Amino acid sequence: MKLSVFLPTIRTHLLENWYSSLEASCNRHDFNVILCGPFDPPDSILSRDNVVFVKDFGSPTRSAQLAALSAVGELLYHVTDDVLFFPNVISNEIDLFETDT
């Protein structure tokens, strides 16, 4: 797994658009997503093979840390649930990282 994206989330209604933009941005690399929060994400998100959900009723900081513990990627990306990603940008950055190291 190249990238693990982890986030605390309470705005689960935003996750479908969030995930679609992530897919478009990280389109050339494999990734997984770890969500952590008190509310269950939509089934359309949970049914994906690369998504893990950790239920937690603590603070967003604690939720992010719990999510990070489940990360399996070579690279980690801590994000929020109210962001949208530009197409190709994450894959481009991973490519740059790989050529620089």
Side-chain angles (χ1 to χ4, degrees), residues 5-9 15 18 33-37 41 45-46 51-55 63 67:
V5 181
F6 65 95
L7 65 150
T9 182
L15 291 176
W18 178 90
V33 174
I34 306 99
L35 308 167
C36 187
I45 298 295
L46 290 176
V51 174
V52 173
F53 174 60
V54 178
K55 189 164 231 159
S63 291

Side-chain angles (χ1 to χ4, degrees), residues 59-72:
S59 70
T61 301
R62 184 173 95 174
S63 291
Q65 292 171 352
L66 288 173
L69 291 173
S70 296
V72 296

Side-chain angles (χ1 to χ4, degrees), residues 75-96:
L75 302 171
L76 301 178
Y77 193 6
H78 176 198
V79 300
T80 61
D81 59 9
D82 60 351
V83 66
L84 295 176
F85 304 96
F86 288 111
N88 304 313
V89 171
I90 295 174
S91 279
N92 290 345
E93 292 302 316
I94 291 172
D95 292 343
L96 284 172

